[in-house]
């Protein structure tokens, strides 16, 4: 009776200490209560020994994975589980308390090699076997007869390899050229014999240690040096990488200090490109503007250039094209322009005129004076032709926060204006409005500013501004290079393709 199970493929679970074994039954000894497996697998890895033997006391669970068919002398086909949706359910044996057989439906260990399940048209047939292997031959005959009378096994032709078929199992032929091509592709892909699989895993670390990288690169370098080919670089040398806008040809070294002033600069700035821009004193800056005016860069031209550059910067701070477009008419920005009765105030009025021309709501504050400068009068006449609003009292300024405050109240010469009541009232309003502040041509750091600025715009060359000036920007007001040389400044334009550039403290 024990010989009836020879050739069956079983899975034996020996607990956590010994693990799971799978193999084909080669011998069953009822006297010594042992079972032997040939070509065994231990926890999914093929054993080095051709046969292993187990005692009944070491076996925790036994599962029959494959039963040999009648007349099969070498290998039996794969008897698969029924189409129940639970993978790995087979004939399982587990000892019960009363010594009788016990039905176990548990998926076998994932570490063991698993047979590929096939779908059948029959329901799942469970075989109950006692731990003492006392299943009668007649029971097995009835079971096999039931299998033979069933509708048979349906096999998906394009899923499984020909190597996994039962030798005696007849596969229905499918006609058509397409099915024949699919079969040949399946055999080509899955038709390898399982015996050709290596018994041991590939040693990646050991094979990697055999590769001498330094020697290989030295050999490549020697070959390229002899053949005259361009070196691709060694592991310690990385080839230079260039951006799309960089020149790969060798050029002269970059000189970052292109502006040299006759006096030692109290403070230096640098551009985004790394060019050094030194600060100048107020006296040298005033002399530079005076010489430029003598050569034709009049005050009106300078006011226009300053207004254009300051308005471009203000438009960028207000949101640029994302804010100022025809779809955002309801989000028209509001700018409060605070100007004093001096040239700095005229620069601010020019900026307000350009902002108003770009559909920005501008509120211009200018105190009432009996006599105004001619430059201010001319700028006010142009500003009155726009949609901008002019006020002379702090009470007329908006109570709600505006989008931007442009400060042109401070002047280099007229420091007495700080004591005027209107000045103090405007400073208090700006500090309470909580709007960001842009200062145009602010005074030097020795003079205290009443309004803390977030951004400051310098003209031509920056003054030594303090921390209350915020982030410093520089605008090009059109002073020629020879005018700089005439006042003793060795000048090379740091602006590049822009008219307003940011400066960073060094």
């Amino acid at each position: 009776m024990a010989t009836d199970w020879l050739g069956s493929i079983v899975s034996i679970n020996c607990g956590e200490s010994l693990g799971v074994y799978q193999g084909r039954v080669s011998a069953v000894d009822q006297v010594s209560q042992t079972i032997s497996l040939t070509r065994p697998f231990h926890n999914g890895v093929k054993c080095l020994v051709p046969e292993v033997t187990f005692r009944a006391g070491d076996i925790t669970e036994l599962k029959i994975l494959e039963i040999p068919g009648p007349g099969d002398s070498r290998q039996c086909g794969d008897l698969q589980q029924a189409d129940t949706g639970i993978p790995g359910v087979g004939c399982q044996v587990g000892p019960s308390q009363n010594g009788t057989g016990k039905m176990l439906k548990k998926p076998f260990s994932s570490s063991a090699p698993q047979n590929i399940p096939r779908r059948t048209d029959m329901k799942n047939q469970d075989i109950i076997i006692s731990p003492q292997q006392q299943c009668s031959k007649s029971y097995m005959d009835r079971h096999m007869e039931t299998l033979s009378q069933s509708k048979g096994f349906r096999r998906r032709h394009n899923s499984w390899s020909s190597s996994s078929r039962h030798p005696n199992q007849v596969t229905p032929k499918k006609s058509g050229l397409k099915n024949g091509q699919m079969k040949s592709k399946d055999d080509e892909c899955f038709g390898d014999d399982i015996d050709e699989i290596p018994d041991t895993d590939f040693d990646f670390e050991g094979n990697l240690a055999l590769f001498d990288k330094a020697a290989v690169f030295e050999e490549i370098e020697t070959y390229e040096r002899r053949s005259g080919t361009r070196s691709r670089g060694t592991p310690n040398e990385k080839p230079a990488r260039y951006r799309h806008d960089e020149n790969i040809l060798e050029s002269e070294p970059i000189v970052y200090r292109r502006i040299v002033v006759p006096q030692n600069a109290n403070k230096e700035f640098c551009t985004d490109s790394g060019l050094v821009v030194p600060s100048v004193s107020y006296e040298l800056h005033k002399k530079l503007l005076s010489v430029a005016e003598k050569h034709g860069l009049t005050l009106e031209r300078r006011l226009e250039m300053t207004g254009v550059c300051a308005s471009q910067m203000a438009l960028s701070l207000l949101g640029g094209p994302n804010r100022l477009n025809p779809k955002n008419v309801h989000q028209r920005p509001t700018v409060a322009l605070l100007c004093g009765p001096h040239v700095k105030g005229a620069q601010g009025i020019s900026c307000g005129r350009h902002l108003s021309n770009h559909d920005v709501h501008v509120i211009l504050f200018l105190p009432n004076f009996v006599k105004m400068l001619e430059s201010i009068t001319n700028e006010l006449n142009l500003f009155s032709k726009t949609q901008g609003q002019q006020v002379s009292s702090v009470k007329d300024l908006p109570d709600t926060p505006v989008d931007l405050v442009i400060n042109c109240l401070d002047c280099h010469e007229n420091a007495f204006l700080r004591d005027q009541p209107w000045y103090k009232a405007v400073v208090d309003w700006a500090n309470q409005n909580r709007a960001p502040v842009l200062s145009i041509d602010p005074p030097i750091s020795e003079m205290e500013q009443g309004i803390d600025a977030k951004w400051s715009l310098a003209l031509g060359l920056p003054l030594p501004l303090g921390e209350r000036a915020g982030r410093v920007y520089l605008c090009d007001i059109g002073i020629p290079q020879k005018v700089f040389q005439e006042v003793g400044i060795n000048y090379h334009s740091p602006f590049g393709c822009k008219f307003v550039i940011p400066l960073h403290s060094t």
Side-chain angles (χ1 to χ4, degrees):
M1 186 181 299
T3 58
D4 296 338
W5 305 104
L6 297 180
S8 300
I9 296 178
V10 297
S11 175
I12 298 177
N13 187 356
C14 298
E16 297 181 357
S17 59
L18 297 180
V20 179
Y21 287 83
Q22 288 185 351
R24 192 177 298 275
V25 178
S26 60
V28 178
D29 191 349
Q30 295 182 348
V31 178
S32 58
Q33 293 292 303
T34 60
I35 182 173
S36 300
L37 302 182
T38 183
R39 297 169 62 185
F41 284 81
H42 180 222
N43 292 334
V45 181
K46 189 174 182 180
C47 299
L48 300 179
V49 295
E51 189 178 45
V52 292
T53 304
F54 304 92
R55 295 181 302 176
D58 298 332
I59 299 175
T60 304
E61 184 181 13
L62 187 145
K63 303 176 185 177
I64 299 177
L65 305 179
E66 183 178 310
I67 300 176
D72 188 5
S73 59
R74 183 177 57 88
Q75 292 181 356
C76 59
D78 297 338
L79 180 63
Q80 302 299 335
Q81 292 82 13
D83 191 7
T84 59
I86 306 177
V89 177
C91 303
Q92 306 177 11
V93 176
S96 61
Q97 295 180 359
N98 54 6
T100 61
K102 182 179 180 181
M103 180 74 65
L104 297 176
K105 287 190 178 183
K106 298 180 181 179
F108 52 81
S109 173
S110 60
S111 60
Q114 302 179 6
N115 292 330
I116 301 176
R118 297 174 185 152
R119 296 185 178 179
T120 63
D121 295 336
M122 54 176 292
K123 295 184 179 180
N124 185 25
Q125 301 290 336
D126 297 319
I127 304 175
I128 305 176
I129 306 174
S130 64
Q132 292 81 8
Q133 305 284 335
Q134 298 300 326
C135 180
S136 63
K137 182 68 167 58
S138 60
Y139 180 86
M140 290 301 303
D141 293 339
R142 291 196 302 269
H143 179 71
M144 297 303 297
E145 183 179 357
T146 303
L147 293 177
S148 62
Q149 293 177 357
S150 62
K151 294 181 180 179
F153 300 110
R154 287 189 308 173
R155 302 185 56 184
R156 290 183 295 177
H157 186 75
N158 59 347
S159 301
W160 317 116
S161 65
S162 60
S163 61
S164 63
R165 298 173 185 166
H166 193 284
N168 296 332
Q169 185 176 358
V170 179
T171 304
K173 296 183 179 180
K174 296 183 179 180
S175 61
L177 180 61
K178 183 178 180 180
N179 295 331
Q181 293 178 352
M182 293 294 295
K183 179 180 178 181
S184 61
K185 291 181 179 180
D186 291 343
D187 294 341
E188 181 181 357
C189 183
F190 304 104
D192 294 338
D193 190 3
I194 195 173
D195 295 335
E196 298 179 2
I197 301 178
D199 295 339
T200 58
D201 295 336
F202 182 76
D203 188 6
F204 289 95
E205 296 183 359
N207 282 269
L208 185 61
L210 299 177
F211 176 66
D212 191 354
K213 186 184 296 184
V216 173
F217 275 101
E218 184 179 359
E219 181 180 356
I220 294 175
E221 184 180 0
T222 303
Y223 171 77
E224 292 179 345
R225 187 166 53 250
R226 291 177 179 177
S227 60
T229 57
R230 184 176 63 88
S231 177
R232 291 171 291 182
T234 60
N236 296 329
E237 287 183 10
K238 293 185 178 180
R241 300 193 177 202
Y242 299 94
R243 299 195 310 267
H244 66 281
D245 56 349
E246 287 185 319
N247 190 2
I248 63 174
L249 301 178
E250 295 184 0
S251 58
E252 298 180 357
I254 302 176
V255 179
Y256 291 100
R257 190 176 295 274
R258 299 183 179 182
I259 303 176
V260 180
V261 296
Q263 307 168 353
N264 292 330
N266 296 332
K267 191 173 184 179
E268 288 185 343
F269 301 90
C270 66
T271 64
D272 292 337
S273 302
L275 300 178
V276 179
V277 180
S279 63
V280 295
S281 61
Y282 173 68
E283 290 75 14
L284 183 58
H285 192 271
K286 185 178 179 180
K287 181 180 179 180
L288 176 64
L289 297 180
S290 177
V291 174
E293 186 174 356
K294 185 180 64 175
H295 287 285
L297 187 62
T298 60
L299 178 61
E300 288 77 12
R301 288 188 175 184
R302 194 169 76 239
L303 292 178
E304 192 67 19
M305 282 296 300
T306 304
V308 170
C309 293
S311 62
Q312 287 182 351
M313 181 177 177
L315 291 174
S316 299
L317 297 177
L318 291 173
N322 296 326
R323 180 77 179 276
L324 299 168
N325 61 65
K327 297 181 181 180
N328 288 338
V329 180
H330 61 286
Q331 294 183 352
R332 185 183 179 188
T334 302
V335 174
L337 188 60
L338 310 179
C339 299
H342 39 64
V343 177
K344 309 299 180 184
Q347 295 174 350
I349 300 174
S350 175
C351 174
R353 171 168 53 88
H354 289 287
L355 289 177
S356 183
N357 290 337
H358 287 78
D359 203 21
V360 177
H361 180 51
V362 179
I363 302 175
L364 171 62
F365 172 82
L366 183 66
N368 288 325
F369 276 81
V370 177
K371 186 178 181 180
M372 291 284 188
L373 295 177
E374 183 181 359
S375 58
I376 294 182
T377 303
N378 295 334
E379 291 296 333
L380 282 177
N381 290 333
L382 290 174
F383 182 81
S384 63
K385 305 303 179 182
T386 65
Q387 298 294 328
Q389 178 184 358
Q390 180 183 353
V391 297
S392 58
S393 176
V394 180
K395 297 179 181 180
D396 297 330
L397 292 174
D399 298 331
T400 57
V402 296
D403 294 282
L404 182 66
V405 173
I406 299 179
N407 180 20
C408 298
L409 293 174
D410 300 303
C411 182
H412 297 283
E413 293 91 357
N414 302 332
F416 68 91
L417 294 176
R418 298 174 179 270
D419 300 331
Q420 299 295 324
W422 62 266
Y423 182 90
K424 296 179 180 180
V426 172
V427 169
D428 293 339
W429 176 89
N431 292 331
Q432 294 176 4
N433 192 264
R434 299 180 181 179
V437 179
L438 168 64
S439 294
I440 299 178
D441 195 14
I444 56 178
S445 58
E446 285 78 4
M447 301 179 62
E448 288 289 337
Q449 298 186 42
I451 303 175
D452 292 336
K454 188 174 183 179
W455 308 282
S456 293
L457 183 63
L459 310 181
L461 285 177
L463 300 175
L465 302 176
E467 296 181 356
R468 299 188 66 180
R471 187 173 182 181
V472 180
Y473 285 76
L474 184 67
C475 73
D476 184 10
I477 56 176
I479 302 177
Q481 185 177 10
K482 292 185 177 181
V483 175
F484 285 96
Q485 296 178 356
E486 190 172 342
V487 297
I489 300 177
N490 186 8
Y491 180 82
H492 188 280
S493 175
F495 293 97
C497 61
K498 300 179 181 180
F499 283 87
V500 179
I501 58 174
L503 297 180
H504 310 278
S505 300
T506 56

